[in-house]
Amino acid sequence: MTLRSIWAVVVRWKWVLLPGLIVALGAGGFLFMKTPRTYTVESSYLFLSPVKDVKGVPGNPLLNLGNGVPLSVDVVAVSLMDGDTVRSFSEHHPDLKYTVTRDTSLAAPLMTISVEDSNLAYARSTLAALGKLVPSRLDSLQQKAGAPQEQWVTTTNLTTDIKPTVSYSTPIRNGLIGFVGVMLVVGIAVAIAERIRAGHAQKSASPVRKRNDKIKALPVQEELLSTAKRAPVGKPARPALPSHNTGLGG
């Protein structure tokens, strides 16, 4: 099938394709508007270790960020991602997703909490609840480990998103599915109608072609019949010899 034939089909069925295109755009737009967008909010927490000099005077914990503290970040992250904690937040919001990881792009022991949900208010509340669990889980782990309280690792909230990151990937995907689905149905309907039309056109053209063949054959048949009628039956007659009159007298 060439581009010219495809264009001919489009022009022939434009009154079907144009309404179908409008319906497809409407279906895609409806699904896009009805599908909730996804909001992502993040916060980060810096882990600090208590620092004292030889005389017991507290020092600056920022000067000792690499003193085994990153391991505490990993342990607390695993604690916040356990099955019971995840189910407690996603039980009533199945679309909720969150991650707790250590930011490996920095040398500092930095924990990043990212929450993603279609409900912005619930995403923010989940982020705040996880933020409250960070110091409590850390203190509980250190207490169970028998670490002296004056040597406990502490945390401080470093950043929290004020504006969420909005993702339209799911609405766009659903809108495209709706648009393509309607256009596929319209295309199949046009293809079936075009095939039926071509079949009817071929059937209606067949008798005309046969009549034309008969009309063309009539002169040939008449010529054969006339030739057969002119042909003599039996021996052909001998031509008469010319007579020479030698008249007497006169």
Coordinates of all heavy atoms in Angstrom, one line a residue, residues 12 21 35 38 47 57 86 116 127 137 152 154 159 170 200 205 213 228:
R12 N -11.4 9.4 1.8 CA -12.7 8.8 1.6 C -13.5 8.6 2.9 O -14.7 8.8 2.9 CB -12.5 7.4 0.9 CG -13.8 6.7 0.5 CD -13.5 5.4 -0.2 NE -12.6 5.6 -1.3 CZ -11.4 5.1 -1.5 NH1 -10.8 4.5 -0.4 NH2 -10.7 5.3 -2.6
L21 N -11.1 11.1 15.8 CA -10.0 11.8 16.4 C -10.4 12.7 17.5 O -9.7 12.8 18.6 CB -9.3 12.6 15.3 CG -8.1 13.5 15.7 CD1 -7.0 12.7 16.3 CD2 -7.7 14.4 14.5
T35 N -6.5 11.2 36.3 CA -5.4 10.4 36.9 C -4.6 11.3 37.8 O -4.1 12.4 37.4 CB -4.4 9.8 35.8 OG1 -5.1 9.0 35.0 CG2 -3.3 9.0 36.5
T38 N 1.7 12.7 40.8 CA 2.5 12.1 41.9 C 3.4 13.3 42.5 O 4.0 14.0 41.8 CB 3.4 11.0 41.5 OG1 2.6 10.0 40.9 CG2 4.2 10.4 42.6
F47 N 24.0 13.0 60.7 CA 24.4 12.3 61.9 C 25.7 12.8 62.5 O 26.7 13.0 61.8 CB 24.5 10.8 61.5 CG 23.2 10.1 61.4 CD1 22.2 10.5 60.5 CD2 23.0 8.9 62.1 CE1 21.0 9.9 60.4 CE2 21.8 8.2 62.0 CZ 20.8 8.7 61.1
V57 N 36.3 17.8 77.7 CA 35.6 19.0 77.3 C 35.0 18.7 75.9 O 35.7 18.2 75.0 CB 36.6 20.2 77.2 CG1 35.9 21.4 76.7 CG2 37.2 20.5 78.5
V86 N 7.0 -0.1 56.8 CA 6.5 0.2 55.5 C 5.0 -0.1 55.5 O 4.2 0.8 55.0 CB 7.2 -0.7 54.4 CG1 6.5 -0.5 53.1 CG2 8.6 -0.3 54.3
E116 N 6.9 9.5 48.2 CA 6.2 9.7 47.0 C 4.7 9.2 47.1 O 4.5 8.1 47.5 CB 6.9 9.0 45.8 CG 6.2 9.1 44.5 CD 6.9 8.3 43.4 OE1 8.2 8.4 43.4 OE2 6.2 7.6 42.6
L127 N 6.4 12.0 55.7 CA 7.8 12.5 55.8 C 8.1 13.0 57.2 O 9.2 12.7 57.8 CB 8.0 13.6 54.8 CG 9.5 14.2 54.7 CD1 10.4 13.1 54.2 CD2 9.5 15.4 53.8
R137 N 14.7 5.7 66.6 CA 15.3 4.4 66.2 C 16.8 4.4 66.5 O 17.3 3.4 67.0 CB 15.0 4.2 64.8 CG 13.6 3.9 64.4 CD 13.1 2.5 64.8 NE 11.7 2.3 64.5 CZ 11.3 1.7 63.4 NH1 12.1 1.4 62.5 NH2 10.0 1.5 63.3
W152 N 26.6 8.6 72.5 CA 25.6 8.4 71.5 C 25.8 9.3 70.3 O 26.1 10.5 70.5 CB 24.2 8.5 72.1 CG 23.8 7.3 72.9 CD1 24.5 6.3 73.3 CD2 22.5 7.1 73.5 NE1 23.8 5.4 74.0 CE2 22.5 5.9 74.2 CE3 21.3 7.8 73.4 CZ2 21.4 5.4 74.8 CZ3 20.2 7.3 74.1 CH2 20.2 6.1 74.8
T154 N 24.1 11.5 67.5 CA 22.9 12.3 67.4 C 22.6 12.7 66.0 O 23.4 12.5 65.1 CB 23.0 13.5 68.3 OG1 24.1 14.3 67.8 CG2 23.2 13.2 69.8
T159 N 17.8 19.5 55.8 CA 16.9 20.2 54.8 C 15.6 19.5 54.8 O 15.5 18.3 55.1 CB 17.5 20.1 53.4 OG1 17.7 18.7 53.0 CG2 18.9 20.8 53.4
T170 N 2.5 9.4 35.1 CA 1.3 8.5 35.2 C 0.1 9.1 34.4 O -0.5 8.4 33.6 CB 0.9 8.2 36.6 OG1 2.1 7.6 37.3 CG2 -0.2 7.2 36.6
H200 N -17.6 -4.8 -2.7 CA -18.8 -4.4 -3.5 C -18.4 -3.8 -4.8 O -19.1 -4.1 -5.8 CB -19.6 -3.5 -2.6 CG -20.3 -4.1 -1.5 ND1 -20.8 -5.4 -1.5 CD2 -20.6 -3.7 -0.2 CE1 -21.3 -5.7 -0.4 NE2 -21.2 -4.7 0.5
A205 N -18.4 -4.4 -10.7 CA -17.6 -4.2 -11.9 C -17.6 -5.4 -12.8 O -17.4 -5.4 -14.0 CB -16.2 -3.6 -11.6
D213 N -17.1 -7.9 -22.8 CA -16.4 -9.0 -23.5 C -17.4 -9.6 -24.5 O -17.0 -9.9 -25.6 CB -16.0 -10.0 -22.5 CG -14.9 -9.5 -21.6 OD1 -14.3 -8.5 -22.0 OD2 -14.6 -10.1 -20.5
A228 N -19.0 -18.5 -43.3 CA -19.5 -19.8 -43.5 C -20.7 -19.9 -44.5 O -20.8 -20.8 -45.2 CB -20.0 -20.4 -42.1

